[in-house]
Amino acid sequence: MLLLAFESSCDETSAAVIRNGMVLASVVSSQTKLHAEYGGVVPELAVREHIRNLQPVTNAALAAAGVSAGEIDAVAATQGPGLPAALMVGLKAAQAFAFARRKPFIGIHHHGAHLYSPWISGQPPRAAFGEFQPNVSLIVSGGHTMLVHVESELKHRVLGGTIDDAAGECFDKTGKLMGLAYPAGPIIDRLAEQGNATRYDFPRPLINESNDDFSFSGLKTSVRYFLRDHPALLDDPATMRDLCASIQSAIVDVLVTKTIRAAKRLGVRCVTASGGVTCNRTLRRELLARCQKHGFQLRLADPSLCTDNAAMIGVLADRRLAQAEFANDYDGEIQPGWALV
Ligand code: KG4
Ligand code: ZN
């Protein structure tokens, strides 16, 4: 089966072609530079870019896969959650494509797709669902932070999530306080590399709580007050690196500690992680060290699949269609607030 998938929930326009679980092509047009000027995603600009880019991105994906539109057997798109008008662009285009060609269409939950993205690996990338193991999965992005118990393939239960800011948001907002460009996560990652993570002691909210929830706004506030009282620290590059390393260490410490604790409590043997913040090298390193210590297998989404992309949407859609899930939802509506349960 040849499947065409779309993703347009936030500021990436993406199309991918999947054949029986294998990613033949995945093209992503990122709008990060466009929104950087405003310090965050501007929905109206995002929508305009999606409309402009969807067709060229789709043509590029089909060309890279070496297939024509007429050969597509099924279509999928992100149905939610996300920015309403942004979701609308990809979903309605996908439904129209499927309807016009009388092909099955399936709407996909964006976080459901992140959840299974760590199982996509290799070159060319393909879904290794044959290797699936029950796991605890950490989804960390600019908009979401959650822990999920994936009991069996396509069956999961959310354990907890952030009660305020997401982890990526914490990277971006504390970065902004330090005068870094948006999105600050990758910049902090880079600066922290040469920094001393023990130089400044920032709070690790909820780290000792037995629940699976997260909270990052207190950490952001603590950084704000600290910088208000020590503004000169930002003028020294070496101190900046230490600040970045210390803030990053607080975020990573909370994420890793709570993920490992949940995995131990639930008795799984596998931990997975996905979403934009999973690009963070210290998070990847710390998760690996702690998983090795406790004998857990670790599956991290490939960095190319951590940030938003249609390949993960297509792989999940392909899997669900292979399991004979009903699909011809040509007029299903966007679900901007669709919660993963
Ligand atoms: O998954 P994603 O593309 O978008 C959302 O769905 O939100 O994630 C973007 C987020 C941003 O907050 C960005 O700062 C963060 O992921 N991010 C990182 C790194 N790369 C991206 N955070 C820390 N370290 C990184 N290397
Ligand atoms: Zn995402």
Side-chain angles (χ1 to χ4, degrees):
M1 185 179 70
L2 207 51
L3 184 140
L4 176 63
F6 297 95
E7 154 64 35
S8 69
S9 64
C10 190
D11 60 343
E12 267 93 24
T13 317
S14 179
V17 180
I18 314 295
R19 176 180 276 138
N20 302 331
M22 183 183 290
V23 182
L24 298 186
S26 175
V27 176
V28 182
S29 166
S30 176
Q31 308 171 7
T32 307
K33 285 203 183 83
L34 173 76
H35 300 289
E37 189 180 335
Y38 304 93
V41 177
V42 183
E44 288 78 4
L45 293 182
V47 174
R48 203 184 301 165
E49 284 300 293
H50 284 312
I51 292 171
R52 193 176 288 157
N53 291 334
L54 193 70
Q55 205 161 358
V57 161
T58 306
N59 288 337
L62 289 169
V67 303
S68 68
E71 292 175 78
I72 296 297
D73 300 310
V75 187
T78 305
Q79 191 159 9
L83 300 172
L87 285 168
M88 190 87 81
V89 177
L91 184 78
K92 292 297 151 189
Q95 287 169 328
F97 185 105
F99 176 74
R101 295 177 182 275
R102 298 291 187 271
K103 300 295 181 190
F105 168 80
I106 186 164
I108 292 294
H109 194 292
H110 182 84
H111 297 137
H114 272 304
L115 201 57
Y116 294 98
S117 62
W119 301 93
I120 308 171
S121 60
Q123 205 48 256
R126 66 177 309 140
F129 284 119
E131 295 165 26
F132 180 86
Q133 282 195 55
N135 61 80
V136 160
S137 189
L138 174 70
I139 304 179
V140 263
S141 74
H144 295 274
T145 301
M146 59 179 94
L147 274 175
V148 185
H149 182 198
V150 190
E151 294 153 62
S152 60
E153 202 190 311
L154 304 188
K155 185 166 179 283
H156 51 255
R157 179 173 62 91
V158 174
L159 299 168
T162 182
I163 56 175
D164 42 55
D165 291 352
E169 204 175 348
C170 187
F171 272 106
D172 296 339
K173 287 181 173 172
T174 54
K176 191 172 179 186
L177 293 170
M178 291 187 285
L180 301 177
Y182 170 87
I187 307 173
I188 292 179
D189 185 348
R190 204 170 55 244
L191 291 175
E193 208 169 20
Q194 311 287 331
N196 174 3
T198 60
R199 174 100 182 256
Y200 304 107
D201 188 20
F202 290 114
R204 281 136 168 86
L206 305 188
I207 197 167
N208 293 319
E209 302 285 326
S210 57
N211 62 37
D212 298 313
D213 287 331
F214 298 92
S215 164
F216 289 104
S217 72
L219 170 56
K220 173 191 66 191
T221 307
S222 142
V223 172
R224 169 175 290 131
Y225 288 142
F226 182 77
L227 293 175
R228 181 197 63 188
D229 297 339
H230 307 88
L233 295 181
L234 298 176
D235 299 332
D236 175 16
T239 317
M240 267 295 277
R241 291 195 286 271
D242 293 345
L243 271 170
C244 287
S246 301
I247 294 167
Q248 174 175 272
S249 159
I251 299 171
V252 167
D253 208 6
V254 173
L255 294 175
V256 174
T257 301
K258 300 206 79 162
T259 303
I260 298 294
R261 185 185 300 146
K264 281 182 9 196
R265 188 184 75 240
L266 291 161
V268 296
R269 303 305 315 147
C270 177
V271 167
T272 76
S274 62
V277 177
T278 305
C279 289
N280 185 272
R281 290 167 299 170
T282 301
L283 176 62
R284 296 177 86 85
R285 227 174 14 241
E286 287 298 312
L287 273 174
L288 183 62
R290 298 277 280 280
C291 281
Q292 281 174 342
K293 182 172 168 209
H294 294 283
F296 295 131
Q297 186 203 114
L298 176 67
R299 284 196 84 110
L300 296 168
D302 186 86
S304 66
L305 296 170
C306 281
T307 47
D308 291 344
N309 64 86
M312 65 179 186
I313 304 296
V315 165
L316 178 55
D318 179 78
R319 193 65 180 168
R320 287 180 49 187
L321 289 173
Q323 299 199 344
E325 282 208 28
F326 171 80
N328 64 352
D329 191 12
Y330 295 142
D331 50 10
E333 294 300 337
I334 54 164
Q335 305 288 336
W338 196 2
L340 194 71
V341 286

